Amino acid sequence: MESLGDIVKEFLIESHENLDRLDQDFVKLEHAPGDRETLASIFRVMHTMKSSSAFLSLKRLEVLAHAAEHLLGRLREGKLVLNPEIANTLLATVDNVRAQLRVLEDTGAESKGDDTELIQSLHLLADGKTIAKAPAPVVAPAAPETAASQVDELTREFLIETTENLDALDRSFVRLEKTPGDRETLASIFRTFHTVKSTSGFFGFGRLERLTHAAETLLGKLRSGELALTRDMTDALLDTVDVIRTVLRHVEATGKETTHEHRDLIDAFARLSGAPAPLPKPLHASQKASSVVDTAADTTPDPNATDSAPAAKPAAVEVKIMGGHGPAEPAAATGETRPQSIADTSIRVDVGQLDKLMNLVGELVLARNRLMPFAASRPEAAFIAATQRLNQITSELQERVMKTRMQPIGNLWSKMPRLVRDLANQCAKQVSLEFEGQDTELDRSLLEAIKDPLTHIVRNAIDHGIETPARRAELGKPAAGRLHMRAFHESGQVVIEISDDGGGIDLARIRKKAVEKNLFTEEQVARLTDRQVLEIIFLPGFSTAEKTTNVSGRGVGMDVVKTNIENIGGTLDLQNRPGQGTTLRLRIPLTLAIIPALLVSCGGEKFAIPQTGLVELVRLDGDQAGAGIEMIYGAPVVRLRGKLLPLVFLGNELKLNSTPPPIGNGSARAPVNIIVLQAESHHYGVVVDEVHDTEEIVVKPLGRLLKGVPCFAGGTILGDGRVSLILDVVGLALHSGIVEKIRDRGLGEEPAAAPVAASNEQSLLLFDLGAGERMAIPLELIARLERLPQEDIVVSGGGEVARYHGEILPILRANDFVAGERLPAVAQHGIYDVVVLNDRGRRVGLVVGRIHDIVSESLKLQPWAGRRGLIGSAIVQNEVTALLDVPGILRELQTEETQTS
Amino acid sequence: MAATQIFATFIVDGLLFGLPAVEVLELTNCREMTRVPLAPSTVEGLMNLRGQIIPAIDLRRRLELSPRPAGKLPMNVVMRTADEPVSLLVDQVGEVLELGEETFEAAPETVRGVARELLRGVHKLPGRLLLLLDPQRIIDGIVVENRKPVRPPQTS
């Protein structure tokens, strides 16, 4: 059945897998009835089933799964022991769920049927009683409606369009609740409903048409200001959206709408809009946008066939005359020409296809890499040209295919407002939801994998984290709790942060609960550090909630979150600010991506380091090599621009056969290569044997077998066909203990305020241009810092360029752009300090006088207009420092380039 | 004739082993291997199988047999698993055999150690025994030693 919605399809696939596992687990459990791990696994599966069903509004499934979960909870807590009766009932439940899913798969709608008996049995057993009679037989779900008729092209379009409309509606409603009077949002909702109504009429879905008509009537009054929006109205409207979704799924499967009359909702609308449903006001033709859809109404078959109000017919006719130019939806659907929309130019492709394509492209890249050396050794110009062309095409193909798999995280987040709203209502709390970085793209499969964890986290934040409005008022916080979701790229990983400004986690309470639940003895708990106490909430079955609710409190949430995130090789970090909220930070690795990486060798093996985690390269030569590395209580450090940089010897850390570099005043004069990396907000240096080039690498997962091996973010295949490991910059820091040390110290010293303060800070590169004036560039604009020998910079095509990692790097001299700095940049000992900047995809080198330091400071910029090349000045480390106008300089370069070319 | 099954056979340290042929994806020559630091010692490394990175398990080490003599190149038996394909390093690839139930017998009780865990049973061939391996168990037994988070103490 191809026509099911994506979400439902995924749900089905996932559930089938889960059910298969349940079967195995139950059997395993019967052999070892007390096995906690198996029980916990079964419980998790049932819980997921319940949550997903609830999410998809599959009521019947949800209720059944809830009952089974309850019984399993008792088993897991050890309050009940598995006996054949319980096992049979649970297996019957699994069979029943499976049967229900099959109907869902066939018809696209939830099956009807009665599970009361089974649910009662589950409850009886959970209470420690026995069932008098045999466990309820598998209730045969209602037979699916007659075999799915072929859904034709037209209907399919209707379905796609309407589904999109519904998603938009969800968002609009949530927005509307915040600004109830917003005409524009109301008008947009009205239009959407109207479109759905008209198209339903066109397709002869009378029941759907009558329902949407009733909703439209209410919306008309809201839009005209006759009525004000109440929560009841929003609920009814949102319910309608859900009903339409269900009907659509049915249409998709069978080509027919459901037989449900939606009486309850229609009556509710009549009541809410002040029954009896009056004549809707003629629509204002002046309202441009609505006139477009209003023209649609005239193609609608008479909607008053049965019970609906004598509806918009005159109005529609009137508008038809006035707005006849609009691209009416159903008319266009039947017909020929229509302006191209995005939907017309896009197709749906199976992800499996893309995976195969991606693998093939990877192969092509390898074949290309093997071919390239031949080209270099051959004199024929035509052959060289052909390989060059192949080279370019391969690279571009690679990039394009990659991009097809990426999706902005906003796609996933768009489901959040509705979820948050419903949860907040359920928990009687007020929550304002904020997003940052919706455009952050990540691979589709990862997006899928984090969907559930994210839902759980949001659930937890609202249920446990954010306080009730009354309590917040007492604490002097705004009534509405703040839930902030932020996504960004860091060190080659995607970081997703979910923070709330609720009560935070009460460590004392966790300690107490942990003892109550017999997880630890009182003595053990007392010895745990705060950080270790936080870890407790990730244990299976741990919950601090006083009572179990529909939302949370069964203690599955965080356990599932952690398991799911770790399954995709991610990590999870919890920051707790008691009384002020919590921040959960998910780090998602790139399992499938092409990234620039630096290749290094150590102990005879090549490793790739993602460029995003790279800060700079430092090489200690000659005298420095011996004296550069010093030891503090066994921890190697190096002085870098006056600061101590902790070091990790890659060879030691990975237990490779590599001779560690000399420490102290050793006589050895071999150069030492240090790669400065950034993990979270800390810098550290990695000492390797050799540094090679930067290369674009295809990141591939290491697979399940090696999942737990620390320090690696994946593997890649190099040009020679060899496999190389990609270092996980954060993982290496954690494994070597560097970050943990810094972080644990930081946690004790400055608990709450630190993250907030840090966000205002900016990292700056300090340098001069030879005349002594201090200058700065924000570090985020800088790709790398380099030291280039004078002779590497040559004049070509009217400008200066340098060879740089196989590319040509345009060279600018900062002096030429800054007014007042007339001294030429001097090369010290024939070496230039060069700041490599990112300029829309390419690199540009900026020659400066001397690089001093990198500092973090919150800036108060004093803007200047007068001086060319500078945007202003600020106090940095108690000294006046001028800020270079990097965008301005790059603009000047572009103008020059376009003039010369 | 009762139901028969087809087996791919191979030799490791002089012993004849077999896997159900349906589990075997392909047999290939020795390839360049990249060592994985900090990985379990039974994992020989990673290899490039037409653009896919797959781990290789040294069956001699996994079966606790004597180490492979230096200079002797192994063969790869690439096997299907629940997740990614995995290569098993063997000394030599044998014939493909179709065998019926009548030659099969469970491993004798006296078989101990790792073999007890990894063997499904034995086929009594004329003059030779074919030891049937359990593909999933070969993989499942390999555990990465990872630093564990706080775990509740075992109270039972």
Side-chain angles (χ1 to χ4, degrees):
Chain A
M1 189 66 24
E2 273 188 332
S3 44
L4 292 176
D6 275 353
I7 303 182
V8 182
K9 222 189 299 183
E10 271 154 28
F11 167 71
L12 285 170
I13 294 172
E14 204 180 276
S15 302
H16 278 307
E17 283 169 10
N18 280 338
L19 287 172
D20 290 348
R21 218 173 73 215
L22 276 186
D23 279 344
Q24 291 165 16
D25 279 351
F26 275 127
V27 175
K28 212 171 10 168
L29 199 61
E30 271 195 316
H31 290 297
D35 185 23
R36 287 290 169 95
E37 206 143 299
T38 315
L39 266 171
S41 148
I42 295 177
F43 185 79
R44 272 203 301 273
V45 170
M46 205 42 95
H47 181 81
T48 310
M49 182 84 67
K50 185 191 78 174
S51 321
S52 324
S53 312
F55 186 70
L56 294 170
S57 313
L58 303 170
K59 256 272 150 345
R60 185 177 161 205
L61 261 184
E62 186 195 351
V63 173
L64 183 59
H66 184 80
E69 187 194 4
H70 182 60
L71 174 58
L72 286 162
R74 309 275 297 178
L75 285 169
R76 194 181 55 169
E77 288 158 15
K79 301 223 171 86
L80 282 177
V81 182
L82 187 82
N83 59 33
E85 197 175 29
I86 296 181
N88 285 340
T89 313
L90 286 171
L91 281 170
T93 310
V94 173
D95 290 342
N96 185 316
V97 170
R98 198 174 269 132
Q100 290 198 30
L101 290 177
R102 220 169 291 134
V103 174
L104 177 63
E105 192 167 354
D106 290 345
T107 65
E110 182 168 36
S111 58
K112 292 181 191 66
D114 187 20
D115 310 317
T116 329
E117 212 174 331
L118 187 53
I119 290 170
Q120 264 170 3
S121 303
L122 289 167
H123 281 309
L124 275 175
L125 290 168
D127 295 340
K129 296 178 188 129
T130 54
I131 334 164
K133 45 187 169 161
V138 181
V139 182
E145 300 223 348
T146 42
S149 64
Q150 189 63 38
V151 178
D152 59 30
E153 202 46 40
L154 221 71
T155 317
R156 196 186 296 277
E157 248 180 69
F158 160 74
L159 287 168
I160 292 174
E161 209 176 274
T162 313
T163 311
E164 279 165 10
N165 279 336
L166 291 177
D167 288 346
L169 273 181
D170 269 347
R171 287 193 295 276
S172 301
F173 276 124
V174 175
R175 194 162 64 224
L176 194 63
E177 267 198 321
K178 287 200 196 93
T179 50
D182 185 26
R183 286 291 170 93
E184 209 149 296
T185 314
L186 264 172
S188 133
I189 293 175
F190 181 87
R191 277 199 301 276
T192 314
F193 265 105
H194 186 89
T195 311
V196 176
K197 185 189 84 172
S198 320
T199 32
S200 306
F202 177 79
F203 281 97
F205 302 144
R207 298 183 195 92
L208 194 58
E209 187 191 353
R210 285 191 287 282
L211 174 63
T212 40
H213 177 78
E216 190 193 351
T217 310
L218 173 64
L219 280 163
K221 295 209 167 178
L222 288 171
R223 192 180 55 169
S224 63
E226 215 173 300
L227 287 174
L229 186 74
T230 64
R231 170 152 286 175
D232 282 350
M233 293 181 188
T234 317
D235 283 339
L237 288 166
L238 280 173
D239 283 347
T240 309
V241 174
D242 288 342
V243 167
I244 300 175
R245 272 210 183 92
T246 318
V247 174
L248 287 183
R249 249 180 259 137
H250 194 85
V251 170
E252 197 158 5
T254 63
K256 290 194 224 75
E257 68 171 332
T258 52
T259 50
H260 198 277
E261 288 290 344
H262 318 302
R263 243 356 304 173
D264 42 345
L265 276 172
I266 293 175
D267 288 346
F269 280 124
R271 185 170 40 77
L272 288 167
S273 37
L279 248 150
K281 277 192 184 175
L283 301 164
H284 309 291
S286 59
Q287 218 158 346
K288 200 174 65 198
S290 61
S291 71
V292 173
V293 284
D294 286 342
T295 49
D298 67 356
T299 61
T300 313
D302 191 351
N304 355 332
T306 47
D307 58 342
S308 68
K313 212 169 182 197
V317 173
E318 185 186 332
V319 175
K320 183 189 173 192
I321 302 157
M322 320 201 45
H325 59 276
E329 289 293 337
T334 53
E336 323 72 39
T337 49
R338 154 154 82 141
Q340 275 219 329
S341 71
I342 296 170
D344 289 333
T345 57
S346 62
I347 54 165
R348 275 155 207 257
V349 182
D350 184 50
V351 179
Q353 289 284 2
L354 288 181
D355 285 343
K356 274 182 212 142
L357 209 56
M358 190 66 212
N359 274 340
L360 283 173
V361 168
E363 284 290 291
L364 183 64
V365 169
L366 284 180
R368 184 260 329 249
N369 291 354
R370 267 176 231 170
L371 187 64
M372 295 309 283
F374 291 111
S377 62
R378 290 204 148 203
E380 300 100 287
F383 184 70
I384 295 172
T387 45
Q388 284 297 349
R389 185 85 190 105
L390 178 70
N391 187 10
Q392 282 167 7
I393 294 173
T394 310
S395 305
E396 188 165 346
L397 184 65
Q398 196 179 21
E399 201 174 308
R400 296 279 156 174
V401 173
M402 265 301 304
K403 283 211 174 117
T404 54
R405 286 187 52 102
M406 303 295 269
Q407 285 188 323
I409 194 164
N411 286 7
L412 180 62
W413 282 355
S414 65
K415 307 208 183 338
M416 289 296 158
R418 170 82 194 262
L419 179 74
V420 167
R421 180 216 174 253
D422 289 353
L423 283 172
N425 277 357
Q426 244 170 304
C427 306
K429 290 175 183 177
Q430 291 177 24
V431 181
S432 81
L433 183 61
E434 295 163 22
F435 295 118
E436 194 181 327
Q438 279 119 304
D439 299 336
T440 310
E441 289 199 321
L442 69 172
D443 190 79
R444 211 201 94 95
S445 56
L446 290 175
L447 213 56
E448 275 313 304
I450 61 171
K451 193 176 73 191
D452 281 352
L454 225 52
T455 313
H456 274 299
I457 292 169
V458 167
R459 222 176 258 262
N460 267 339
I462 295 174
D463 195 27
H464 296 305
I466 290 169
E467 309 93 333
T468 55
R471 175 86 187 116
R472 289 180 67 88
E474 281 171 35
L475 294 166
K477 294 182 184 181
R482 180 167 163 267
L483 191 63
H484 188 90
M485 305 183 90
R486 175 167 173 243
F488 56 97
H489 285 277
E490 187 186 277
S491 310
Q493 289 178 314
V494 177
V495 181
I496 301 164
E497 277 181 2
I498 301 105
S499 28
D500 66 68
D501 65 348
I505 294 166
D506 185 350
L507 293 176
R509 188 139 153 252
I510 295 185
R511 285 197 157 95
K512 200 169 130 244
K513 274 277 169 186
V515 176
E516 275 172 28
K517 293 225 161 195
N518 276 331
L519 293 171
F520 292 91
T521 64
E522 221 152 311
E523 209 179 309
Q524 284 172 322
V525 159
R527 274 207 311 271
L528 295 177
T529 64
D530 284 359
R531 182 148 273 281
Q532 283 170 322
V533 173
L534 277 182
E535 296 270 357
I536 295 179
I537 66 168
F538 295 111
L539 293 178
F542 188 84
S543 172
T544 56
E546 299 300 342
K547 58 176 192 287
T548 296
T549 63
N550 197 21
V551 181
S552 58
R554 288 185 174 271
V556 245
M558 295 317 282
D559 171 29
V560 173
V561 169
K562 196 175 163 86
T563 316
N564 285 2
I565 296 293
E566 281 177 354
N567 277 347
I568 54 168
T571 60
L572 195 117
D573 181 47
L574 180 65
Q575 281 174 15
N576 184 33
R577 304 179 298 279
Q580 294 178 49
T582 46
T583 299
L584 253 174
R585 187 180 255 250
L586 312 183
R587 289 180 166 278
I588 315 295
L590 335 124
T591 56
L592 189 121
I594 296 179
I595 54 165
L598 180 73
L599 296 180
V600 301
S601 312
C602 199
E605 301 279 346
K606 264 191 188 176
F607 297 96
I609 301 178
Q611 187 114 53
T612 38
L614 207 70
V615 181
E616 62 178 314
L617 303 179
V618 177
R619 189 180 161 96
L620 303 180
D621 269 320
D623 287 345
Q624 285 182 313
I629 299 178
E630 295 164 78
M631 300 294 279
I632 303 177
Y633 288 101
V637 292
V638 70
R639 292 179 210 208
L640 184 64
R641 288 185 287 274
K643 279 193 178 158
L644 291 181
L645 181 76
L647 293 181
V648 173
F649 294 116
L650 192 62
N652 294 353
E653 208 52 57
L654 301 184
K655 305 194 174 72
L656 304 167
N657 310 317
S658 149
T659 29
I663 289 169
N665 285 317
S667 53
R669 288 290 155 92
V672 177
N673 290 302
I674 300 171
I675 296 159
V676 184
L677 301 175
Q678 180 169 15
E680 293 179 353
S681 44
H682 316 294
H683 285 187
Y684 71 101
V686 174
V687 180
V688 300
D689 294 351
E690 247 181 291
V691 178
H692 309 280
D693 260 347
T694 323
E695 220 173 81
E696 298 267 301
I697 59 167
V698 182
V699 182
K700 306 205 172 202
L702 285 187
R704 236 186 136 71
L705 193 61
L706 297 172
K707 201 185 75 189
V709 179
C711 301
F712 304 112
T716 187
I717 295 173
L718 299 180
D720 57 6
R722 271 196 73 112
V723 176
S724 186
L725 290 159
I726 302 168
L727 287 180
D728 174 0
V729 171
V730 176
L732 181 64
L734 287 173
H735 184 71
S736 62
I738 280 191
V739 162
E740 222 161 36
K741 276 177 210 151
I742 305 174
R743 197 169 51 181
D744 271 352
R745 203 167 14 136
L747 198 84
E749 280 165 7
E750 28 184 355
V756 185
S759 64
N760 295 330
E761 270 189 14
Q762 210 176 358
S763 294
L764 296 169
L765 175 79
L766 295 181
F767 60 94
D768 66 46
L769 295 183
E773 187 178 1
R774 272 163 60 102
M775 306 249 168
I777 298 179
L779 205 58
E780 63 197 32
L781 301 175
I782 298 172
R784 279 170 82 161
L785 301 179
E786 292 286 346
R787 310 193 72 187
L788 297 180
Q790 204 161 8
E791 59 269 19
D792 274 14
I793 299 181
V794 294
V795 175
S796 161
E800 282 182 308
V801 295
R803 266 192 51 130
Y804 181 70
H805 294 303
E807 287 171 43
I808 291 173
L809 183 74
I811 295 286
L812 303 175
R813 287 174 191 263
N815 276 301
D816 299 340
F817 292 92
V818 180
E821 290 278 340
R822 286 278 56 106
L823 282 166
V826 201
Q828 291 177 328
H829 315 296
I831 302 275
Y832 283 116
D833 279 355
V834 178
V835 179
V836 181
L837 304 168
N838 275 327
D839 178 22
R840 296 161 308 145
R842 68 164 181 175
R843 304 270 166 90
V844 172
L846 186 71
V847 175
V848 300
R850 207 163 59 83
I851 290 172
H852 295 267
D853 201 356
I854 293 175
V855 297
S856 267
E857 206 142 315
S858 45
L859 275 194
K860 254 202 193 134
L861 187 74
Q862 196 95 39
W864 291 336
R867 245 177 103 189
R868 176 179 168 239
L870 300 175
I871 39 173
S873 67
I875 307 275
V876 179
Q877 293 187 322
N878 300 323
E879 277 187 64
V880 177
T881 306
L883 247 78
L884 211 63
D885 179 11
V886 175
I889 291 176
L890 293 175
R891 266 199 306 278
E892 280 195 50
L893 172 71
Q894 283 157 30
T895 358
E896 268 174 42
E897 279 172 344
T898 41
Q899 277 163 4
T900 47
S901 66
Chain B
M1 185 84 178
T4 60
Q5 216 184 343
I6 302 175
F7 296 96
T9 68
F10 42 84
I11 294 166
V12 185
D13 197 17
L15 298 169
L16 182 66
F17 289 95
L19 280 174
V22 286
E23 308 281 353
V24 176
L25 293 170
E26 64 177 291
L27 308 168
T28 73
N29 286 330
C30 172
R31 282 162 195 254
E32 250 188 303
M33 212 59 80
T34 298
R35 212 149 50 95
V36 183
L38 312 178
S41 64
T42 42
V43 178
E44 176 81 9
L46 295 170
M47 59 180 224
N48 169 9
L49 185 73
R50 287 187 307 281
Q52 198 178 2
I53 297 180
I54 67 171
I57 295 169
D58 183 354
L59 263 194
R60 277 183 178 247
R61 250 177 265 150
R62 184 73 186 94
L63 294 166
E64 294 171 5
L65 303 170
S66 63
R68 181 174 303 107
K72 193 164 158 50
L73 291 180
M75 291 283 289
N76 291 294
V77 175
V78 183
M79 170 180 90
R80 192 198 302 276
T81 76
D83 306 291
E84 75 257 314
V86 168
S87 167
L88 303 177
L89 298 185
V90 304
D91 296 354
Q92 202 186 319
V93 174
E95 308 166 72
V96 173
L97 300 175
E98 188 170 351
L99 299 171
E101 289 290 334
E102 63 280 0
T103 56
F104 181 80
E105 201 169 296
E109 291 296 322
T110 46
V111 175
R112 303 236 162 262
V114 71
R116 166 111 234 126
E117 178 195 333
L118 299 185
L119 287 189
R120 261 189 190 168
V122 181
H123 271 287
K124 296 156 288 181
L125 306 184
R128 193 139 212 210
L129 292 179
L130 173 68
L131 310 177
L132 276 194
L133 290 170
D134 183 322
Q136 196 54 43
R137 291 214 178 143
I138 298 176
I139 310 299
D140 287 346
I142 298 175
V143 183
V144 174
E145 305 233 336
N146 204 358
R147 282 174 310 155
K148 289 266 182 297
V150 205
R151 286 283 152 191
Q154 290 298 330
T155 47
S156 58

